Amino acid sequence: MEKKIVPFDQETHRELSDAEKYAERERLFGTDDLYPMWVADMEFQAAPAIQEALESRVAHGVYGYAMPDLALRETAANWYLKRHQLICDAQKFRASPSIMTTMSAAIEALSQEGEGVVTFIPIYPPFMEVVSEQNRTLHTVALLDDGNEFIIDFTALEEALSESKILLLCNPHNPVGRVWRVDELKKIADLCERYEVVIISDDAHADLVMPGITYHSVTTVSTYAKDHTVTLFGPGKGFNISGLASTLWFSFSDELLKKVDKVFKARHIVAGQIMGYHALKAAYNESEAWLKEALVYINNNLEYAVKRLNALDYFKVYKPEGTYLIWIDCKALKLSDRKLKAFFVEGAKLGLSQGRFFGRTGQGYMRMNCAVPFEKLKMAIDNIEYALKS
């Protein structure tokens, strides 16, 4: 039986908990006197079953080397089948300490220095960093704002893919919140097939999809995509356990598995850690009810934030289809990036992610994390409204 749901209104007081978003305030924003909403983790306690699994393992007292066992792989496969209707042999699942570790390993395994890697922008900044750090050629395709949502420029995508070996896909997309539809994924897959491009799909937010929206794995839209995709995912985002260094990846292709496995072995990359394994199992096996409650709470927060910000006239925000992040168009303020940061830090006392770090199209945008207690979200938007009036 699943445990009682943690109240999401509860303030978690993370200032002294080694939380990155709090510890880095002085360095990034020049002050500790602000509410940080820039890192993509929730201000909610993890599900009770996860906390109890960790407490039980800590009580054992021995924390030696551990490996992901068959039960962990089966847990992952069963979750994807139950939650996303995707059937994949448990033996094809792997564990990793982080999404970006796997992405980096896959880029190294599936391309050579100088070869092209494509991604859509704006995008989570490490996507671009990991490409440049490995001396691959980065090709960025700007998502287009059609007045209702962000869409893919397939003409630009085809041109970029024609010069590349890999596409880095993000689904749901961070930061614009799109959950790519089947028709969009099919067009992506068909273009990748035309130019023999491998897909590395970051689906870390796949469990954070809003009501009325359905996540589809790109592997389901064509035979080529199924055989030429490495999928990265895990419980970190959906269950707020990213700090436990336990993510997952899989591929239907034995060839791709062998190539990426070889890089993991060559780099001596450990496949996560013991506490993460226990948290993962407790998340997927015992905490779905918690996730459902969290999604209701997050969806309400998103609706509130989008409505209020759009009503202020100076901002334009689309409600995310997935993730708990909102991508705020602040260009109507007519501020430079430096002054825009100051508006939020000094005027609203908020620490948000600056859009300029998400690629050239991110200038004039800010990213805000809405997975916070409602009263904190209300305070944040009250502060923004006050800063506008001031």
Side-chain angles (χ1 to χ4, degrees):
M1 180 179 295
E2 297 196 50
K3 310 300 187 296
K4 184 179 179 182
I5 302 301
V6 172
F8 300 104
D9 283 328
Q10 177 181 325
E11 191 169 354
T12 51
H13 301 290
R14 299 180 66 194
E15 292 85 347
L16 301 178
S17 68
D18 304 311
E20 179 184 5
K21 65 171 69 172
Y22 287 86
E24 290 284 88
R25 285 181 296 180
E26 181 68 40
R27 183 180 72 85
L28 294 175
F29 305 106
T31 178
D32 286 333
D33 184 24
L34 54 73
Y35 187 58
M37 303 177 80
W38 60 285
V39 174
D41 65 11
M42 304 183 199
E43 291 293 295
F44 306 143
Q45 287 191 2
I50 295 173
Q51 295 184 49
E52 291 176 14
L54 293 173
E55 289 167 358
S56 176
R57 187 60 187 83
V58 167
H60 182 276
V62 179
Y63 318 119
Y65 293 117
M67 290 292 291
D69 56 11
L70 178 59
L72 184 140
R73 297 171 190 257
E74 290 175 340
T75 295
N78 290 338
W79 178 260
Y80 238 97
L81 174 60
K82 178 181 180 182
R83 192 77 183 175
H84 306 301
Q85 295 74 57
L86 184 143
I87 301 172
C88 185
D89 184 349
Q91 296 290 354
K92 295 186 180 295
F93 285 79
R94 304 285 193 270
S96 168
S98 77
I99 294 289
M100 292 311 303
T101 297
T102 310
M103 182 179 290
S104 179
I107 290 171
E108 181 178 347
L110 304 175
S111 65
Q112 301 295 320
E113 288 195 8
E115 291 184 326
V117 178
V118 182
T119 194
F120 299 115
I121 55 171
I123 192 64
Y124 177 53
F127 274 52
M128 297 178 287
E129 294 164 6
V130 76
V131 173
S132 61
E133 289 294 330
Q134 295 205 55
N135 299 314
R136 274 54 173 177
T137 301
L138 177 66
H139 297 289
T140 58
V141 175
L143 296 173
L144 305 177
D145 182 348
D146 74 350
N148 296 296
E149 63 182 2
F150 285 91
I151 61 173
I152 297 168
D153 181 343
F154 284 100
T155 300
L157 176 61
E158 180 168 8
E159 181 179 351
L161 291 174
S162 71
E163 302 175 349
S164 301
K165 289 290 185 180
I166 291 173
L167 169 67
L168 302 181
L169 183 66
C170 192
N171 183 30
H173 187 90
N174 173 8
V176 306
R178 282 297 317 281
V179 178
W180 304 116
R181 295 186 297 268
V182 169
D183 63 305
E184 293 169 313
L185 293 171
K186 182 67 165 59
K187 288 181 181 179
I188 291 170
D190 288 348
L191 287 174
C192 287
E193 181 174 11
R194 182 177 303 172
Y195 296 103
E196 299 182 346
V197 170
V198 175
I199 302 167
I200 301 173
S201 189
D202 173 5
D203 296 17
H205 290 88
D207 294 326
L208 292 164
V209 173
M210 298 305 114
I213 305 296
T214 302
Y215 155 84
H216 298 278
S217 166
V218 69
T219 63
T220 64
V221 301
S222 75
T223 300
Y224 180 87
K226 181 177 181 180
D227 294 337
H228 295 83
T229 298
V230 176
T231 301
L232 325 178
F233 75 107
K237 298 302 183 186
F239 293 93
N240 203 32
I241 55 174
S242 294
L244 291 173
S246 186
T247 65
L248 298 156
W249 62 279
F250 70 87
S251 179
F252 286 94
S253 166
D254 289 335
E255 180 183 357
L256 296 185
L257 286 173
K258 288 177 183 177
K259 287 181 177 180
V260 181
D261 281 343
K262 185 176 180 179
V263 174
F264 266 71
K265 184 176 181 180
R267 299 284 177 255
H268 291 274
I269 300 171
V270 296
Q273 47 98 339
I274 190 168
M275 296 302 175
Y277 302 150
H278 285 269
L280 185 152
K281 292 176 183 177
Y284 287 160
N285 291 330
E286 304 176 63
S287 305
E288 189 173 18
W290 181 94
L291 176 62
K292 290 178 180 178
E293 292 290 332
L295 285 171
V296 170
Y297 195 94
I298 291 167
N299 185 60
N300 288 339
N301 274 8
L302 291 172
E303 289 183 344
Y304 175 84
V306 169
K307 182 177 181 180
R308 278 204 62 191
L309 287 171
N310 282 331
L312 295 177
D313 295 330
Y314 286 94
F315 306 106
K316 183 172 72 172
V317 191
Y318 298 131
K319 182 174 179 287
E321 297 171 333
T323 82
Y324 42 69
L325 307 164
I326 56 173
W327 185 238
I328 309 171
D329 183 342
C330 309
K331 292 192 291 291
L333 289 173
K334 298 181 180 180
L335 297 176
S336 67
D337 285 327
R338 182 181 63 81
K339 290 184 177 179
L340 183 60
K341 178 182 178 181
F343 170 85
F344 284 98
V345 172
E346 299 168 15
K349 295 190 180 300
L350 300 175
L352 309 186
S353 299
Q354 287 183 266
R356 67 188 183 91
F357 295 115
F358 292 74
R360 67 182 186 278
T361 60
Q363 289 188 321
Y365 287 84
M366 300 292 279
R367 191 190 74 170
M368 176 189 283
N369 178 352
C370 292
V372 301
F374 175 75
E375 287 303 317
K376 289 293 187 181
L377 180 64
K378 182 178 182 300
M379 173 207 73
I381 300 178
D382 286 346
N383 286 6
I384 293 171
E385 185 170 6
Y386 177 79
L388 284 173
K389 292 178 179 178
S390 299

